[in-house]
Structure formats: structure tokens, C-alpha cells
Amino acid sequence: MSRRVVRQSKFRHVFGQAAKADQAYEDIRVSKVTWDSAFCAVNPKFLAIIVEAGGGGAFIVLPLAKTGRVDKNYPLVTGHTGPVLDIDWCPHNDNVIASASDDTTVMVWQIPDYTPVRNITEPVITLEGHSKRVGILSWHPTARNVLLSAGGDNVIIIWNVGTGEALLSLDDIHPDVIHSVCWNSNGSLLATTCKDKTLRIIDPRKSQVVAERFAAHEGMRPMRAVFTRLGHIFTTGFTRMSQRELGLWDPNNFEEPVALQEMDTSNGVLLPFYDPDSSIVYLCGKGDSSIRYFEITDEPPFVHYLNTFSSKEPQRGMGFMPKRGLDVSKCEIARFYKLHERKCEPIVMTVPRKSDLFQDDLYPDTPGPEPALEADEWLSGQDAEPVLISLKEGYVPPKHRELRITKRNILDARPPAGPRRSQSASDSPLSQHTLETLQEEMKALRERVQAQEERITALENMLCELVEGTD
């Protein structure tokens, strides 16, 4: 009799567990907007959730430790004139978040470490360039202040948030609505899915499609795609008979899928959350009450089913914690923030281990908060892998770091148009003495402004330390 050989994997016994009731965030009016984004973004400091808002768009930002019932008057981030459709935390600054809205704008916000007294209404910068709603946001994984937005105008714009400029505009690649956009690990390529049923790999700096596959999934409903650690593309979509399906593709050979599996007949779009450190992909369907997870390897059948976390309540959206925000002492390898109608519930994925020691096989070095490149370096053609950190001693988020905007001077240097007067003695050029005096005054003024900015930063740091002391 032949014995069935069980595949060896340290992730075979990963199990999910909902947090206790007192660890949830209660009384949050989660947005009811019909849009296939996660509605939730989380980092090691804050939880952000898109909420219902009368006469505009808003989201709430809570410190992770502020569990329990949320006061109905808790300050919101409000500035958009239409519903907020997507939010994304900056990977290089835990106090900076971007929001995209139905009002065609993208706004970037600085969130203070202390709880604000009133609504935050002034973004650090507003990015205007789309002609229709903006529904997708994604920060560059390695370059500082580089943000991607995709809109209903079928255009992808890549911004330098530090200056407010549009670095690149990909406006003739997608003939229809863009459903998803994902960077690869070093931010040199994009994977996009579109209503025209085509999966594209794009080099954004050359504005070129380097590979594409039509009908990776044959159904008409939206498709999603993410890059894997090995450079493959993992996709979720629908068959012609409206069954949900997952696929794995090699961009160097799009003719045949590496793997293709049918799932079930539910009609909710499957949102894939991929962890490159463990190469596990978690599938969360909007309206589903379960999270299915698979390990992707280079051995057949390549996409290995691990398990399903099931609960009673359907999910309205889902937040996925970056690896540096996990509790390594409890062998936690993923943490989700599941949105219900009126609350947010953490769900922890754990690998059972008997030892209390740091499990270095579960926690390879992972991307940290430092960027590897400046925006201009990336735009000029440089690539760099993420700057990695060890989680052995646990991760402590850095103190509040301010996002500084340096807008380029776009004012025309030419003299104003208008009738020119004949030059009289009183209109003669400024004397050399006056010019030197003005330059000295300007220099003194700049020094005073710099001193004021340093004073403001020092006061903010003191305030943060006082708040932490009271906690």
C-alpha cells in the first residue's frame, strides 16, 4: 500500500483567530459606498477606516491602542467634497496617509501622534490631475514621496508628493476602467487589470507595456493582480460561468498559466493580500465571511491551499498590517482588520510553536520605514530593493516625522504684460546699495523663519512625549 506523502511546509498549520471583544473598535459607521477597495488601511501606529459622511467624504484615524467604543464626536479627516474611495498609508512615514475621492482629487494628510481636538480639514497637499473619480492609490515601495493614483478617466498618474508635481502620466495604455494596480518589490514595474479583461505589465518610466495577457480570467467581473516574490503574477477573477477563480502567471510566458484553480460561485470580488516574506496570499471577498489562504511555491501545483478562517459576519472591507507591526513573540505572521457594518475586528494569523524564542525562520528581514531612493533618483532610472530591518528585538515605530512640501516655483519670471511707460529718471534701475540691503533683509528673514520652524518641531516633540507620558 502506498502512503500519501504530505507536503512539508512550516505554514501548514497556520490558524486564524478573532480578537476578544474588548480588542475591537466599536461604533464606527463604515462607508456604504459601492466600490471594490479595502476601505481600511493600517500601519504599526494607526488604523484608518473610510466612514459615512454627510455632504462630502471622510475617514477616521484611530491610534491602534484606542480599542473599545469610539465616541460619536471623535474627530474625522474631512476635506474631500465627494465620497472617499481609497486610502493608503505611506510606507516610509507612519504619520502620512493619502486619500482618493469621487471629487477627482488626491489629498495627502499629516496625522499627529496626539488625538486632535477637532476634525482635520487641511491636507498637506492636494494633487489635482484626474478628470474623473480617483479610486486607486498605491505608494511606491522604495522611493520617498512617490505616489500612484488611478482614476475613472483610465489614467494612471505618478506624483512626487514632496513637490506636488505629476512625474508621469500613463494616459494612453488603458482603454477602459482600471480595476487594480500593483507595484513589484523594487517599484520598477506595475501590474494592472482593466475592464477590457487584459492583464498588463507596465514599465511606468518608459510608458511601455512590456507584457500583456488578454482574458487571464474569462469572466466579465473585475480582476485583481499582485506580484509575487519570484516575479510571478497572482490573479483573482471569474470564469465565463461566473465562478471565482485564481491564477498564477509567468510574465515571461503569458501563453499558459502556471496554475489556474476554480473556487466557488460567490459574486464578491476577491481581494488578494500577499506577504512576500512567507509567500502566503490571503483572499478576502467583499461580502464573504471567510479568509482563505494559500502558499505560493516553485513546486507543483505552485498554489497550495492551506486553510480557511471562517466567521459568522460578512466583511465590508479589510485592512492588512505590514510585517513590522506584528507581535513576533506570539508567532503572529499576519493581522487583518475586518470591517463590519458598525465595527472593526482584528483577526490574527498564527503559526503554532512551543518555544518562546524568536523564530527567525518565520521572520526574515522585512522592509522597514526608510526609503531606498529619492523620487528624482527613481525617475532618472535607478532601482533599489527595499531597505530591510530585523524584527528580532520587535519593532518600535519612530516618533512623529513631518512631511515637508517644497513646491517648485512655477511663476513666470517674465515682466507682466501691459503698456510700457517711457523710462524716466525716477524709474531707473535699483542702485547696487539698495540691492545689497534687500539681499541682507531676505537672508535675515529666512533665518528667522528657519528658527521658527525648528521651534515648532521642538514643541511638537515635547507634546508627543507628554502625550506618551500620560498614556
Side-chain angles (χ1 to χ4, degrees), residues 70-82:
V70 176
D71 190 290
K72 69 176 187 298
N73 295 318
Y74 193 90
L76 304 176
V77 182
T78 60
H80 287 288
T81 56

Side-chain angles (χ1 to χ4, degrees), residues 81-96:
T81 56
V84 176
L85 301 178
D86 198 13
I87 48 178
D88 196 25
W89 287 105
C90 176
H92 307 126
N93 188 334
D94 287 340
N95 293 77
V96 171

